[in-house]
Each structure stands twice: as C-alpha cells, then as structure tokens.
Amino acid sequence: MKTTLKGIVHGRIIELSDSLGVPDGHQVDVTIETDRFSSPTSDEARAALLRSAGAWANEGPELDEYLEWCRQQRKLDRPEIEP
C-alpha cells in the first residue's frame, strides 16, 4: 500500500495531517520529500541571505552598465499608464 500524506516535523516526530489507517505497531517505510513551497525557518533564511550577500561585490562597472541596459530594455515594451 502506498499513501501520500502531508505532515509537519517536530524534532524526530512527524505530525501527519490525516490518519494513516494502519494499526499501531505496524512497521512502515517512510520516504521524506520536503514541500518546496514551504517557508524556510528563520535560521535557513538567514543562512541563505549570508550566502548571497555581497555576491556581486567584486563585479566592476560592466555589471552596472548591464543592469542599466536591462532596465532600459524593460521600458521599451511597457505600455503607457493612463490616469
């Protein structure tokens, strides 16, 4: 039998959203797949920010020129906003 349920991890315990329908003491195999849309914990978010902070710090004026070119390109196809 293969069933997919959602759950929330609390340390070493996974709290499932629905009943398994399996008797207590029955041995099961568990495959973990994280929800790719779930929000990261504050520690995960901080670590990601620290990894990306300053990623372009050593780039030269070419990067500024490229970013400005991108901004100008986006404006070309933008319709005028009417009040």
Side-chain angles (χ1 to χ4, degrees):
M1 170 177 112
K2 183 176 181 178
T3 303
T4 301
L5 298 172
K6 297 284 184 184
I8 299 174
V9 176
H10 302 281
R12 293 184 56 194
I13 296 172
I14 300 173
E15 180 183 356
L16 299 174
S17 58
D18 295 312
S19 172
L20 282 176
V22 176
D24 279 354
H26 192 83
Q27 187 172 0
V28 296
D29 293 324
V30 177
T31 302
I32 304 297
E33 182 177 320
T34 59
D35 184 355
R36 54 186 178 162
F37 298 111
S38 66
S39 349
T41 65
S42 58
D43 288 341
E44 290 171 336
R46 179 177 168 74
L49 179 61
L50 290 175
R51 281 193 308 272
S52 65
W56 288 352
N58 296 327
E59 297 298 325
E62 305 86 27
L63 177 62
D64 292 333
E65 292 170 14
Y66 173 72
L67 293 174
E68 182 57 33
W69 178 82
C70 287
R71 287 185 200 99
Q72 296 304 319
Q73 294 301 307
R74 285 196 310 262
K75 290 179 183 179
L76 293 178
D77 295 331
R78 231 182 249 173
E80 290 293 322
I81 299 174
E82 297 180 20

